[in-house]
Amino acid sequence: MPISLDLSPTHVSVSDKQMKQLKKWRLASDGLLAILVIYLTKNYHIDAARVGSIHFVWSAISNFLRIRGAIL
């Protein structure tokens, strides 16, 4: 028996005020991560590959927690 999936995009309406708040949050998050990279390379002398891994883990955890908070 074939499985059918609905892959049509869902449309979510977001107000202009909410969009501005999302952009501010994204800008703050990107700035924080840039400062984290500079701090780790300058103060702890961690090479770029390792800092990239730390950056990836930080982003993954923060994105997961945001989804988990939305569910709760």
Side-chain angles (χ1 to χ4, degrees):
M1 183 165 168
I3 298 173
S4 124
L5 295 174
D6 181 19
L7 298 176
S8 62
T10 58
H11 298 285
V12 178
S13 71
V14 178
S15 70
D16 288 337
K17 183 179 178 182
Q18 291 172 330
M19 186 57 71
K20 287 179 184 178
Q21 289 174 346
L22 288 172
K23 287 180 182 179
K24 286 179 185 178
W25 178 86
R26 184 67 187 179
L27 181 64
S29 175
D30 290 344
L32 176 67
L33 290 173
I35 291 170
L36 177 67
V37 169
I38 293 169
Y39 180 76
L40 291 175
T41 54
K42 298 288 181 186
N43 293 341
Y44 287 101
H45 306 291
I46 299 175
D47 59 312
R50 182 117 171 134
V51 171
S53 296
I54 294 169
H55 178 275
F56 172 75
V57 170
W58 177 271
S59 296
I61 289 172
S62 65
N63 288 333
F64 173 73
L65 290 176
R66 192 173 348 138
I67 293 169
R68 186 167 183 252
I71 292 171
L72 294 177

